[in-house]
Amino acid sequence: MEITTISTFLPYYDKIRERTKRLLAVVPPDSLDWAYKPSKFTIGDEIRHIAAIERYMFAETIAGRLSIYRGCGKDLADGYGPVMEYFDRLHEESMTIFRALSDEDLQRKCTTPGNATMPVWKWMRAMVEHEIHHRAQLYIYLNMIDVKTPPMFGLSAEEVAAYSK
């Protein structure tokens, strides 16, 4: 899918973020430090990573600057309230950058941290895929600790099967 106008991308990306926020709303505050094994991202790391990479890698390079991503550790935000505030604040900073883009900017080339050059719209598409990837990881993590997670589009797979005849 080619992103051709910023006015159609922004509401689409808002919906992606709404689904992520619905999932974050069920994260137990006492589970932020849980990881499925040592040296892997914790639930809190995953949340901070989605926020930090969007703002400091994707938004910076989309704005024509170098990535300034420095990780996703507790030093950025620790505890449930601060982590969720960090997530929301960095997203709003990113959205300020994205709202300033013109349709023509979507065709402008940007350079990724891996030194690949591509149109901004493709990098924005990669940003969406990145968030979805980490949201899926959070679904798995939360299921591993027996947290009931919200269905993505209103119905669970079991409900879809029950309604399908």
Side-chain angles (χ1 to χ4, degrees), residues 77-144:
D78 191 15
Y80 187 82
V83 167
M84 297 306 169
E85 289 167 13
Y86 178 79
F87 186 84
D88 290 339
R89 179 173 53 82
L90 266 59
H91 179 64
E92 189 49 43
E93 290 177 14
S94 297
M95 292 302 288
T96 297
I97 292 168
F98 304 151
R99 286 184 200 108
L101 296 172
S102 68
D103 293 346
E104 293 76 27
D105 287 330
L106 298 175
Q107 299 305 321
R108 178 178 43 79
K109 302 285 187 198
C110 65
T111 303
T112 72
N115 212 30
T117 301
M118 67 182 69
V120 164
W121 73 264
K122 282 189 178 180
W123 193 231
M124 293 176 87
R125 184 179 63 190
M127 175 182 68
V128 172
E129 291 174 4
H130 179 266
E131 178 162 334
I132 292 167
H133 160 75
H134 284 286
R135 183 192 327 138
Q137 288 181 310
L138 284 167
Y139 266 99
I140 292 168
Y141 286 15
L142 292 170
N143 279 290
M144 289 174 76

Side-chain angles (χ1 to χ4, degrees), residues 30-92:
D30 62 350
S31 296
L32 284 180
D33 293 332
W34 184 88
Y36 67 95
K37 71 183 206 180
S39 78
K40 294 298 181 181
F41 276 5
T42 65
I43 290 171
D45 291 338
E46 288 283 351
I47 297 167
R48 287 184 293 263
H49 176 70
I50 293 168
I53 207 88
E54 174 199 50
R55 174 60 188 89
Y56 297 127
M57 186 186 77
F58 286 106
E60 285 298 302
T61 54
I62 287 165
R65 299 184 289 263
L66 295 175
S67 170
I68 55 173
Y69 175 76
R70 297 288 181 257
C72 57
K74 285 180 160 186
D75 56 311
L76 301 171
D78 191 15
Y80 187 82
V83 167
M84 297 306 169
E85 289 167 13
Y86 178 79
F87 186 84
D88 290 339
R89 179 173 53 82
L90 266 59
H91 179 64
E92 189 49 43

Side-chain angles (χ1 to χ4, degrees), residues 1-9 102-104 106-107 121:
M1 168 189 98
E2 182 174 351
I3 300 164
T4 57
T5 67
I6 197 67
S7 64
T8 55
F9 173 77
S102 68
D103 293 346
E104 293 76 27
L106 298 175
Q107 299 305 321
W121 73 264

